[in-house]
Amino acid sequence: MGCFVRISNSPTIAAAWLAVVLFTTNPLVAAELRGLVPNNYEKAAVAEGRKLGIGSVALEGPKEVEVLSHQTFTLVYTAGKASIKPGGGIRIGLRHLSQWSVPQTKDPTAEGYLSVKTQRQQPVEIAVDFRSRYFLQYFAWHNMVEVVLPERGLEAGETLKITFGDTTGGSPGIRVQPFDESCFTFKTYVDAKGFGDYLPLTESPAIEVVAAEPYRLRMVMPSDAVAGKPTWCIVRAEDRYGNPATAYRGTVTLFTMDSSLFLGGDYTFTEADQGVHRFENILFASGPRTHRVHATDGTFSDAANPVRVTAERPERLLLWGDLHGHTLFSDGRGTIEEFYDFAERVAGLDFCAVSDHAFEIIDEMWAHSKLITNRVNRPGRFVTFQAYEWSGTTKMGGDHNCYFLDDDPPLYRSTNYYTPGNLQMYHGPDPMLEKVTDVFAKLNEHLRNKDVFCIPHYGGRQGNPTMHDPKVQRMIEIFSEHRRSEDWATKYLSQGYRLGIMASTDGHYGNPGHGYLKPSYDWDKQ
């Protein structure tokens, strides 16, 4: 696969693999690597709250919901031995880019109505902020609902109920996101003493968001094939929002107008397929020519992308990948494992990289990310790159993704957005870099035969065209889910910089190679 071949053989990573496998046998730590308890700094705060006795929270309502459905969830908080003193309260943090209807307390007939009830009818003060008030302290859980008890607190054992989507006044409920997610968490913090010091609970309620009913079939194949040699085709069922329709059980037939193809027999989807099946051993009998393969189940039909068939393997292949996406380890969705599984099994990508924000990645996360990236890397079939995003303000150089061809690269974090009180960020002794020129210098120390490259992009902090290093900054991201960036990229090119042009999703939904439309999209009119 040309320049995309990367082989993992480091004894350092082998040792890290063993360490992480042993590390994840503890259920709490396994949850940490899933992003539910993101790091050691938070684990210390959880332990402090547990020792103090700050209580617990349970979820009343469905544990599994369909995308874009209206629902009602009641979080029942029970005060612990510490009770809650007057002025104390709880905070519920929701993930960045949730696309839920925003909770509101003004109109009980409208979508997203939120209500709060206490056991003794104590007065409460409710604040909802989905903008910037809690950004620095809680990113990426900064979409916040806060409930404070200003006059009378809670005694041990007393309850406080927060209902998202309270329908008793006529509200349709709260509408959930348009994309599926295995573990959407209502991250819960408690201030028991009333001093404004909120500690995270040991466990926070979570739900699973699942796909809607099957709406269409989609197909993907390699862009190149050799006559007489087997290739593959992925057929996936989708709901109307683009999620894999896991409930699909249709029988699919592949067909073409060209009798020189061998497509195999029909296939009936099972529960194990989760809406996606890969057909192997598809043979094109002759070339050169371009073929289109079709699929139908009698109700839904689709045509795959064109496949260029040649008599011999071409010197250059047309390959597809997504090098920019985020997981729960920063401000995205899903695990590293789920990210790569979607990339290969569902999207049919040839290459991929997870590029979480470095300032949020603690050492255990980085070891785990490297471990999984190396584990799924299979040269010739699916190639993965070690990567992360160095996030800096435009003045300091702007956002740049750093990629490595070796399997145990260093991690360089930024000073930008570092907040000592944010439990989701790295607070360790490793030096942080202030400017992207500092990153360039460090990457050049690691550079061997073009095995490192650094790509600026526009959103959310646009790369600075005045800061450039031709040795490592050899490409530029011109398009993502944020925007088309030709105007910005031209500022680099007009200065004579020789840069390859690339595009990626910059996805935060755990679906590399298969992005969503902008959050402003009107799903009701699709």
Side-chain angles (χ1 to χ4, degrees):
M1 301 180 72
C3 67
F4 296 116
V5 171
R6 192 181 67 78
I7 300 175
S8 173
N9 56 10
S10 166
T12 303
I13 285 295
W17 189 326
L18 176 60
V20 173
V21 168
L22 295 175
F23 189 64
T24 55
T25 56
N26 182 311
L28 180 61
V29 177
E32 177 174 1
L33 292 179
R34 284 188 56 81
L36 304 180
V37 184
N39 60 53
N40 288 334
Y41 315 112
E42 177 161 292
K43 194 163 66 173
V46 167
E48 181 182 348
R50 191 163 52 239
K51 180 179 180 181
L52 184 63
I54 61 174
S56 62
V57 65
L59 176 66
E60 290 182 354
K63 302 302 188 293
E64 179 182 294
V65 299
E66 186 177 295
V67 293
L68 279 181
S69 60
H70 285 87
Q71 302 289 340
T72 298
F73 305 100
T74 298
L75 273 64
V76 182
Y77 167 74
T78 303
K81 66 180 182 180
S83 69
I84 289 188
K85 304 297 187 293
I90 71 173
R91 289 175 178 171
I92 310 295
L94 306 177
R95 289 292 284 187
H96 182 44
L97 293 178
S98 66
Q99 295 193 39
W100 290 52
S101 30
V102 178
Q104 53 88 17
T105 59
K106 294 182 179 180
D107 186 354
T109 69
E111 183 176 271
Y113 184 65
L114 181 140
S115 66
V116 177
K117 293 182 180 179
T118 56
Q119 191 167 326
R120 291 186 290 135
Q121 289 75 51
Q122 295 98 315
V124 297
E125 294 177 352
I126 306 170
V128 178
D129 190 284
F130 271 37
R131 296 184 179 177
S132 58
R133 176 182 172 186
Y134 298 99
F135 183 87
L136 292 178
Q137 185 177 355
Y138 288 99
F139 181 80
W141 300 96
H142 59 279
N143 299 313
M144 191 69 67
V145 173
E146 179 185 75
V147 179
V148 173
L149 296 104
E151 299 177 11
R152 298 197 307 272
L154 296 178
E155 299 296 331
E158 290 187 333
T159 60
L160 179 151
K161 295 185 177 182
I162 302 176
T163 300
F164 292 80
D166 187 339
T167 61
T168 57
S171 169
I174 189 168
R175 190 163 74 167
V176 305
Q177 63 207 31
F179 50 91
D180 58 5
E181 185 172 1
S182 61
C183 191
F184 179 91
T185 304
F186 297 85
K187 187 79 170 173
T188 307
Y189 305 82
V190 177
D191 172 20
K193 297 180 179 180
F195 298 145
D197 298 325
Y198 285 81
L199 297 172
L201 289 176
T202 303
E203 295 182 357
S204 291
I207 61 170
E208 181 177 6
V209 183
V210 300
E213 64 181 15
Y215 184 75
R216 57 177 166 255
L217 293 179
R218 285 289 185 257
M219 303 177 66
V220 62
M221 296 186 69
S223 292
D224 289 289
V226 177
K229 294 188 177 181
T231 188
W232 53 266
C233 173
I234 288 176
V235 177
R236 62 175 178 259
E238 294 181 351
D239 67 11
R240 67 190 300 248
Y241 314 112
N243 302 293
T246 56
Y248 181 72
R249 300 293 183 269
T251 298
V252 170
T253 300
L254 301 184
F255 68 96
T256 178
M257 302 301 177
D258 189 335
S259 59
S260 64
L261 278 71
F262 175 75
L263 301 177
D266 299 346
Y267 181 79
T268 300
F269 281 63
T270 67
E271 181 180 0
D273 291 309
Q274 293 293 287
V276 183
H277 180 70
R278 179 175 171 128
F279 291 81
E280 302 283 1
N281 299 318
I282 296 175
L283 295 177
F284 296 91
S286 62
R289 62 173 298 179
T290 299
H291 292 276
R292 296 287 300 266
V293 176
H294 300 254
T296 185
D297 64 0
T299 301
F300 305 127
S301 299
D302 193 37
N305 54 280
V307 181
R308 181 181 62 182
V309 180
T310 54
E312 302 290 338
R313 185 180 186 275
E315 182 178 349
R316 293 186 176 183
L317 300 175
L318 177 59
L319 302 173
W320 299 91
D322 191 346
L323 294 178
H324 189 177
H326 302 271
T327 74
L328 277 167
F329 278 179
S330 59
D331 59 344
R333 305 283 180 172
T335 64
I336 304 284
E337 294 90 331
E338 289 171 331
F339 189 94
Y340 284 130
D341 175 70
F342 191 102
E344 182 181 15
R345 183 180 61 85
V346 180
L349 297 183
D350 299 300
F351 57 94
C352 190
V354 170
S355 54
D356 281 318
H357 296 282
F359 68 85
E360 293 183 89
I361 303 174
I362 67 166
D363 292 340
E364 290 85 354
M365 290 179 179
W366 183 228
H368 186 73
S369 182
K370 289 187 290 186
L371 166 69
I372 301 303
T373 298
N374 287 328
R375 179 188 296 174
V376 300
N377 178 49
R378 294 189 300 283
R381 172 167 172 142
F382 181 62
V383 172
T384 56
F385 296 87
Q386 301 290 354
Y388 52 83
E389 179 175 331
W390 185 89
S391 307
T393 62
T394 298
K395 181 180 179 181
M396 297 300 175
D399 289 347
H400 285 67
N401 284 3
C402 303
Y403 302 89
F404 303 84
L405 296 187
D406 62 298
D407 55 21
D408 190 19
L411 177 66
Y412 302 122
R413 302 175 175 94
S414 69
T415 59
N416 294 231
Y417 302 105
Y418 173 71
T419 305
N422 189 325
L423 298 176
Q424 315 306 316
M425 296 182 182
Y426 175 81
H427 303 292
D430 290 354
M432 299 181 185
L433 305 180
E434 183 180 19
K435 298 180 180 179
V436 76
T437 49
D438 301 326
V439 179
F440 294 156
K442 286 294 186 180
L443 293 178
N444 271 291
E445 292 178 7
H446 194 78
L447 181 65
R448 301 290 185 277
N449 192 27
K450 297 183 178 181
D451 61 347
V452 178
F453 52 103
C454 184
I455 302 179
H457 58 273
Y458 185 91
R461 298 144 294 270
Q462 58 183 284
N464 191 329
T466 67
M467 301 180 182
H468 175 64
D469 186 316
K471 292 182 180 179
V472 295
Q473 195 185 58
R474 303 192 299 274
M475 287 190 283
I476 189 169
E477 183 181 287
I478 203 169
F479 185 87
S480 73
E481 288 183 350
H482 288 294
R483 73 192 298 268
R484 295 174 59 171
S485 307
E486 298 100 317
D487 53 344
W488 162 78
T490 299
K491 297 176 182 178
Y492 283 83
L493 302 176
S494 63
Q495 297 184 60
Y497 302 153
R498 293 177 59 85
L499 293 167
I501 301 298
M502 60 89 72
S504 284
T505 60
D506 193 0
H508 292 72
Y509 307 106
N511 59 341
H514 187 61
Y516 282 85
L517 299 177
K518 278 188 169 292
S520 59
Y521 189 68
D522 189 345
W523 295 104
D524 293 324
K525 296 180 180 179
Q526 183 184 28

